[in-house]
Amino acid sequence: MRVTAISIPVRDQAKALAFYTEILGFIKKLDIPVNETDRWLTVVSPEDQDGVQLVLEPAPLHFEPSRVFQDALTEAGFPYTQFDVDDVQAEYDRLLALGVSFSVKPTEMGTVKIAVFDDTCGNYIQLIEYL
């Protein structure tokens, strides 16, 4: 058994696709219409294009518990997920220059350095660098 895809809830798939590809640098992998408004939409890391796919899931639009959970995480300031990076400060600087909003600036916490940003689609995402 292996992980091939993991979902992240997004409020607007088109906006999420633009943010995750144009700002974060992921690559669109799959874009399959499911109905008139929704798509099976995935992105992958350019560093591992055959790796785990991130599904940009329109769950908050169609499943109230998902929206409630997403809102509760955001209100509490908790990240929905995390992405590993080689250098948190460099990624923070790059994303800040592109207009990305951070709720937590680069911060060392023991053996890691983290930063947390708003993905503009209802989620906080944590960047992590292992020191």
Side-chain angles (χ1 to χ4, degrees):
M1 199 176 310
R2 61 190 167 102
V3 176
T4 58
I6 190 157
S7 294
I8 187 165
V10 297
R11 304 285 169 109
D12 180 320
Q13 285 186 303
K15 182 178 179 181
L17 180 61
F19 183 83
Y20 278 80
T21 57
E22 297 168 18
I23 302 296
L24 297 183
F26 286 89
I27 296 170
K28 181 170 67 171
K29 180 86 173 189
L30 295 175
D31 190 351
I32 302 166
V34 176
N35 56 39
E36 296 91 33
T37 59
D38 302 323
R39 300 141 57 183
W40 180 258
L41 184 58
T42 71
V43 295
V44 294
S45 167
E47 299 164 9
D48 191 9
Q49 295 181 36
D50 293 321
V52 175
Q53 296 177 57
L54 182 63
V55 181
L56 304 177
E57 178 70 55
L61 303 176
H62 308 293
F63 188 59
E64 183 67 11
S66 177
R67 187 191 62 74
V68 170
F69 179 67
Q70 187 185 37
D71 287 347
L73 284 178
T74 301
E75 286 175 25
F78 291 149
Y80 190 87
T81 194
Q82 75 178 28
F83 300 146
D84 291 9
V85 296
D86 293 329
D87 184 335
V88 164
Q89 185 65 52
E91 197 63 22
Y92 170 83
D93 293 341
R94 181 184 81 80
L95 294 174
L96 200 60
L98 293 171
V100 174
S101 173
F102 280 80
S103 62
V104 177
K105 295 179 181 180
T107 305
E108 284 194 29
M109 302 177 89
T111 59
V112 298
K113 183 185 286 187
I114 67 158
V116 178
F117 67 87
D118 181 345
D119 78 348
T120 73
C121 302
N123 307 293
Y124 285 128
I125 307 294
Q126 179 170 282
L127 300 176
I128 189 165
E129 170 189 350
Y130 296 93
L131 303 174

